[in-house]
Amino acid sequence: MLSTASEIDALARFSRALAVPIRCRILLILCQGPAQPADLADELEISRTRLSNHLACLRDCGIVVAVPEGRRVRYELADSRLGHALDDLRGAVLAVEADRTCPDAEEKGCC
């Protein structure tokens, strides 16, 4: 199955967003439902400035959206299918991790 350049670019953006553990944690929290930045910062135990930078990245990648609520804003996944995809991806990655077969993975940092 061949993919278009725009599909490949979208997957690459998504992969870059997931490459940072704190952004993975943000997405896993948002899979459970919308959250306000202050609550996210408290749960993740990071500064609001640091959180803001990560949320901006996730917004720019089209993965999360900011929804105004009066003078506040809440963040949520841009599409509910992302939550299902993240759950499936997490399950697959953990299954592979548990069955890791590369004997040099730790040393080479490959798998």
Side-chain angles (χ1 to χ4, degrees):
M1 172 171 75
L2 297 176
S3 297
T4 66
S6 62
E7 290 173 334
I8 293 169
D9 288 344
L11 285 172
R13 275 194 317 276
F14 189 74
S15 298
R16 281 192 300 274
L18 292 178
V20 177
I22 196 75
R23 290 197 289 258
C24 289
R25 291 179 62 203
I26 292 168
L27 291 173
L28 291 175
I29 292 169
L30 294 179
C31 281
Q32 299 171 17
Q36 294 184 341
D39 297 331
L40 286 169
D42 289 346
E43 187 166 345
L44 297 166
E45 298 179 339
I46 61 172
S47 71
R48 291 183 188 184
T49 302
R50 186 171 171 210
L51 175 69
S52 178
N53 291 333
H54 289 294
L55 288 171
C57 173
L58 293 170
R59 268 194 330 267
D60 292 345
C61 289
I63 299 172
V64 302
V65 292
V67 180
E69 288 185 326
R71 294 174 48 165
R72 295 182 176 206
V73 66
R74 75 170 190 265
Y75 281 85
E76 58 188 47
L77 296 176
D79 188 306
S80 62
R81 292 176 290 185
L82 287 169
H84 299 294
L86 287 167
D87 284 341
D88 289 345
L89 180 61
R90 180 175 43 176
V93 168
L94 293 177
V96 170
E97 177 69 18
D99 193 32
R100 183 185 265 181
T101 57
C102 179
D104 301 324
E106 297 270 335
E107 183 180 309
K108 293 180 180 176
C110 56
C111 302

